[in-house]
């Protein structure tokens, strides 16, 4: 199916952004610094933003509920998260990070927030334009 020049440009821009973000070494840096898989650190970072139920966590991470249980079991065993009763649903549990878990989440966020040198080297005008464009796309989603 033929695409328009605008669709082609959007696809190319998306692939460039995906490559920059997904293939960047930051994921490896986070895993090495925290001593856990990037997926575990991603879960911990989400929980540090707000405690959530097991099913919310599974949905947010795009994993099955049994996998979320294994993940949270592992985080609990490491002293990084804990389960507590849900305040309104006796059948559910809420997962929250421990103080140690929050500290590791902040460490991961700091690593992930460090832009690549080539991005930092851009001028203020280019960075402002990029930020505005990305904010506009994010707001539209």
């Amino acid at each position: 199916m033929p695409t328009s020049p605008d669709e082609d440009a959007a696809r190319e821009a998306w692939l460039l952004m995906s490559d920059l973000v997904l293939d960047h070494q930051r994921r490896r840096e986070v895993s090495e610094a925290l001593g856990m898989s990037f997926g575990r650190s991603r879960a911990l970072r989400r929980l540090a933003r707000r405690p959530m139920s097991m099913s919310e966590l599974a949905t947010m991470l795009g994993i099955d509920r049994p996998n979320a249980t294994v993940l949270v079991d592992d985080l609990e065993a490491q002293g990084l998260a804990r389960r507590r009763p849900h305040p309104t649903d006796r059948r559910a549990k809420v997962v929250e990070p421990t103080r140690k878990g929050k500290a590791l989440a902040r460490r991961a966020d700091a690593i992930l927030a460090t832009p690549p040198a080539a991005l930092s080297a851009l001028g203020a005008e280019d960075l402002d334009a990029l930020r505005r464009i990305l904010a506009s796309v994010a707001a539209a989603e």
Side-chain angles (χ1 to χ4, degrees):
M1 180 166 146
T3 58
S4 72
D6 287 347
E7 288 173 319
D8 290 342
R11 288 175 193 271
E12 183 179 352
W14 178 246
L15 285 173
L16 288 169
M17 286 191 305
S18 295
D19 287 347
L20 181 65
V21 173
L22 298 176
D23 293 342
H24 207 274
Q25 293 299 312
R26 295 288 186 263
R27 292 167 64 114
R28 180 175 297 146
E29 289 177 43
V30 168
S31 293
E32 290 173 359
L34 273 61
M36 67 177 69
S37 72
F38 188 78
R40 296 270 192 280
S41 69
R42 183 173 167 239
L44 194 56
R45 290 174 56 238
R46 296 275 192 256
L47 293 170
R49 289 182 190 138
R50 70 173 181 84
M52 60 187 76
S53 70
M54 294 291 290
S55 60
E56 287 176 295
L57 180 63
T59 299
M60 186 161 286
L61 296 175
I63 61 176
D64 294 333
R65 289 172 67 172
N67 288 342
T69 299
V70 170
L71 187 148
V72 171
D73 286 347
D74 186 49
L75 293 175
E76 275 188 316
Q78 294 179 54
L80 302 175
R82 66 180 154 255
R83 290 176 178 97
R84 62 179 170 78
H86 192 284
T88 60
D89 183 352
R90 323 181 290 167
R91 299 166 298 157
K93 297 287 185 189
V94 172
V95 184
E96 62 186 8
T98 62
R99 183 176 297 159
K100 181 180 173 185
K102 287 179 184 178
L104 284 182
R106 284 192 301 273
R107 189 170 178 197
D109 283 341
I111 293 167
L112 292 169
T114 304
L119 182 61
S120 295
L122 292 175
E125 189 175 307
D126 286 341
L127 286 170
D128 190 50
L130 180 59
R131 185 199 53 74
R132 272 193 331 273
I133 291 165
L134 293 174
S136 174
V137 170
E141 291 293 311

